[in-house]
């Protein structure tokens, strides 16, 4: 399997298919709705052997791909939000009653990394209402009162995200943490058009090689569901794809290709560069609103019309 940088379990699984390798302990299920042009792929890592091969924790990874999302159609936006709601509820089935803490990871001042804070901006938090009005609030909202925080990054606060969250979790004792973060993708086609949901938590900054301590059940003591959207792609990946296309038209051996790529990697100034779409500011705002709406629909009682076609087999 060739090395490339991605946070998407789907892309890791696809790389094995290209190399004709079967992965034991990893199940794959695909659903496609022609009407909405939405593809949902569920990757389940069931064994330690599968986890080692995929280099990801055991758990469920749901990837929702909507190539038409960038058309900025409000009706389509609601459709995607409804689909997100249904799959988020699927991951949330085993979570006990109690507060839900949404954590918007990332740097608000860096547009490609601002997804998490922008999602928090769009939430209808209710935990303070529960404390204020008690039984006068609806039963649904009492089951899972919503609270949220955008902790920023260490360069802004001087503190690790984990240090901040451990204190918050200890104080409010949430039933679940939902972490929202920007991701890195292998394919440029998946930038801003793909959402990954997983019940395994998240490692902030992993996609761009800036690993922090993982936010998961082991580290926080509560269930952690992660929502991520790829906003950047490694520049070297684009270069490699372009050159492989060129090599495909010529007679080069695999060893010659690898030697050439290694030389570029060692001598190129783009090795630590990441690329993002030119309209990233508008796109991040658009998809953050979609995710906020989905979370609100789950926990604040703002129900939307469901898209039954994508979740009929849930």
């Amino acid at each position: 399997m060739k090395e490339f940088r991605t946070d998407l379990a789907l892309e890791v699984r696809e790389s094995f298919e290209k190399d004709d390798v079967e992965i034991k302990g990893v199940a794959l299920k695909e659903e496609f709705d022609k009407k909405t042009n939405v593809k949902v792929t569920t990757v389940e890592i069931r064994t330690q052997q599968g986890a080692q091969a995929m280099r990801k924790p055991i758990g469920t990874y749901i990837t929702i791909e909507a190539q038409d999302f960038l058309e900025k159609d409000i009706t389509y936006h609601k459709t995607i939000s409804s689909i997100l709601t249904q799959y988020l509820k699927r991951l949330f089935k085993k979570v006990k009653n109690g507060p839900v803490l949404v954590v918007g990871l990332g740097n608000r001042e860096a547009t490609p990394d601002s997804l998490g804070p922008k999602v928090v901006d769009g939430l209808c938090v209710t935990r303070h209402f529960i404390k204020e009005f008690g039984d006068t609030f609806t039963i649904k909202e009492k089951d899972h009162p919503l609270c949220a925080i955008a902790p920023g990054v260490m360069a802004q606060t001087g503190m690790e995200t984990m240090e901040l969250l451990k204190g918050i979790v200890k104080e409010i004792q949430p039933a679940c943490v939902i972490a929202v973060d920007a991701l890195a993708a292998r394919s440029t086609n998946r930038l801003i058009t793909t959402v990954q949901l997983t019940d395994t938590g998240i490692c902030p900054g992993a996609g761009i090689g800036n690993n922090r301590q993982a936010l998961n059940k082991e580290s926080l003591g509560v269930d952690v569901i992660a929502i991520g959207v790829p906003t950047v792609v490694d520049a070297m990946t684009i270069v490699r794809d372009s050159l492989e296309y060129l090599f495909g038209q010529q007679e080069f051996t695999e060893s010659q290709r690898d030697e050439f790529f290694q030389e570029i990697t060692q001598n190129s100034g783009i090795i630590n560069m990441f690329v993002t779409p030119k309209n990233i500011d508008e796109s991040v705002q658009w998809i953050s609103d979609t995710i906020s709406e989905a979370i609100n629909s789950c926990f604040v009682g703002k129900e939307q019309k469901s898209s039954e076609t994508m979740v009929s087999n849930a």
Side-chain angles (χ1 to χ4, degrees):
M1 182 184 71
K2 294 186 176 91
E3 294 293 331
F4 55 85
R5 199 185 297 273
T6 181
D7 289 318
L8 299 177
L10 170 61
E11 292 187 327
V12 176
R13 182 64 183 84
E14 287 175 342
S15 69
F16 284 94
E17 291 177 358
K18 292 176 183 177
D19 289 342
D20 236 1
V21 176
E22 185 67 27
I23 313 175
K24 292 184 179 180
V26 178
L28 180 70
K29 179 182 179 182
E30 295 180 344
E31 303 169 78
F32 180 71
D33 180 18
K34 292 182 179 179
K35 184 177 180 180
T36 60
N37 195 29
V38 173
K39 180 181 179 181
V40 179
T41 305
T42 302
V43 177
E44 288 190 35
I45 302 178
R46 298 173 176 173
T47 66
Q48 194 59 45
Q49 181 181 356
Q52 290 176 353
M54 294 280 290
R55 288 177 293 180
K56 288 187 176 295
I58 293 174
T60 301
Y61 301 81
I62 301 171
T63 307
I64 301 170
E65 299 177 79
Q67 291 299 322
D68 296 335
F69 186 77
L70 295 180
E71 297 298 323
K72 307 296 189 297
D73 180 277
I74 188 64
T75 302
Y76 195 68
H77 154 87
K78 290 184 177 296
T79 298
I80 301 304
S81 178
S82 180
I83 293 171
L84 279 172
T85 299
Q86 297 299 322
Y87 282 95
L88 184 57
K89 286 181 177 179
R90 176 189 291 187
L91 292 180
F92 206 80
K93 281 182 179 179
K94 297 180 181 179
V95 176
K96 63 182 180 180
N97 290 347
V100 174
L101 171 63
V102 180
V103 180
L105 299 170
N107 185 350
R108 187 185 295 274
E109 305 303 321
T111 305
D113 197 32
S114 64
L115 176 75
K118 288 183 181 297
V119 168
V120 167
D121 290 344
L123 295 179
C124 296
V125 294
T126 58
R127 181 174 177 268
H128 57 307
F129 291 148
I130 304 296
K131 296 173 72 68
E132 181 72 21
F133 301 109
D135 292 338
T136 61
F137 231 51
T138 67
I139 295 298
K140 178 176 181 178
E141 290 163 333
K142 284 173 64 180
D143 285 345
H144 296 295
L146 194 65
C147 54
I149 186 171
V153 294
M154 190 166 61
Q156 297 169 325
T157 65
M159 295 175 282
E160 289 278 6
T161 300
M162 179 60 70
E163 294 175 322
L164 295 169
L165 292 186
K166 279 187 174 180
I168 296 172
V169 168
K170 181 179 179 181
E171 181 66 26
I172 70 174
Q173 299 182 352
C176 178
V177 169
I178 298 177
V180 184
D181 199 8
L183 307 178
R186 163 69 175 81
S187 169
T188 56
N189 292 329
R190 289 193 167 109
L191 296 181
I192 316 296
T193 62
T194 302
V195 181
Q196 177 177 265
L197 309 175
T198 178
D199 58 5
T200 65
I202 196 168
C203 187
I208 59 172
N210 188 26
N211 291 2
R212 299 299 181 199
Q213 188 175 353
L215 308 180
N216 52 34
K217 189 169 185 177
E218 288 70 30
S219 61
L220 290 177
V222 297
D223 290 315
V224 179
I225 293 174
I227 303 176
V229 176
T231 61
V232 297
V233 63
D234 191 342
M236 185 56 71
T237 296
I238 299 177
V239 171
R240 181 159 191 152
D241 287 348
S242 301
L243 290 175
E244 283 191 337
Y245 174 78
L246 176 63
F247 288 155
Q249 315 301 315
Q250 309 293 329
E251 294 183 359
F252 287 94
T253 65
E254 188 70 23
S255 60
Q256 287 176 324
R257 296 183 186 188
D258 289 341
E259 183 180 349
F260 184 74
F261 287 134
Q262 185 177 8
E263 184 176 345
I264 290 180
T265 301
Q266 292 174 347
N267 298 290
S268 173
I270 67 172
I271 186 172
N272 290 319
M273 295 180 66
F274 292 85
V275 179
T276 194
K278 64 180 181 180
N279 61 339
I280 186 65
D281 50 350
E282 181 183 9
S283 298
V284 166
Q285 186 61 60
W286 186 257
I287 201 163
S288 66
D289 289 343
T290 303
I291 295 173
S292 297
E293 191 172 328
I295 296 174
N296 286 336
S297 182
C298 281
F299 306 113
V300 189
K302 294 189 174 183
E303 299 294 346
Q304 303 172 6
K305 185 178 180 180
S306 299
S307 177
E308 301 295 337
T309 54
M310 292 305 300
V311 294
S312 57
N313 297 322

